[in-house]
Amino acid sequence: MLVLKRKTGEAIQIGDDIELTILAIEGDQVKLGINAPRYIDIHRKEIYLAIQDENAEASQSTSLMSQLLKQRTDS
């Protein structure tokens, strides 16, 4: 993990397309501004993990449904 120190108003560039700017620091919270192309999804980590879990559940449901349909057509 790369660790960098930045002050309010300073930025970090990721590749050619993503810029993170420190907008404010208040106590133990940091407010970030993210400038990135629209095709890049940006989520808080807990939201990203919830989406991944839902996708995995949906994939398992689809797989189970396919198996049930195959059994039904084989009968």
Side-chain angles (χ1 to χ4, degrees), residues 17-33:
D17 297 334
I18 301 171
E19 181 181 309
L20 301 175
T21 302
I22 307 304
L23 301 178
I25 302 171
E26 299 170 3
D28 63 350
Q29 290 189 334
V30 177
K31 187 181 287 187
L32 294 174

Side-chain angles (χ1 to χ4, degrees), residues 30-66:
V30 177
K31 187 181 287 187
L32 294 174
I34 304 169
N35 188 6
R38 290 191 177 275
Y39 64 86
I40 295 178
D41 293 332
I42 300 172
H43 302 285
R44 291 179 296 155
K45 179 74 177 244
E46 61 273 17
I47 301 299
Y48 174 80
L49 293 174
I51 291 169
Q52 295 300 312
D53 288 344
E54 288 179 17
N55 287 344
E57 287 176 22
S59 176
Q60 289 174 354
S61 295
T62 302
S63 177
L64 179 59
M65 183 63 77
S66 295

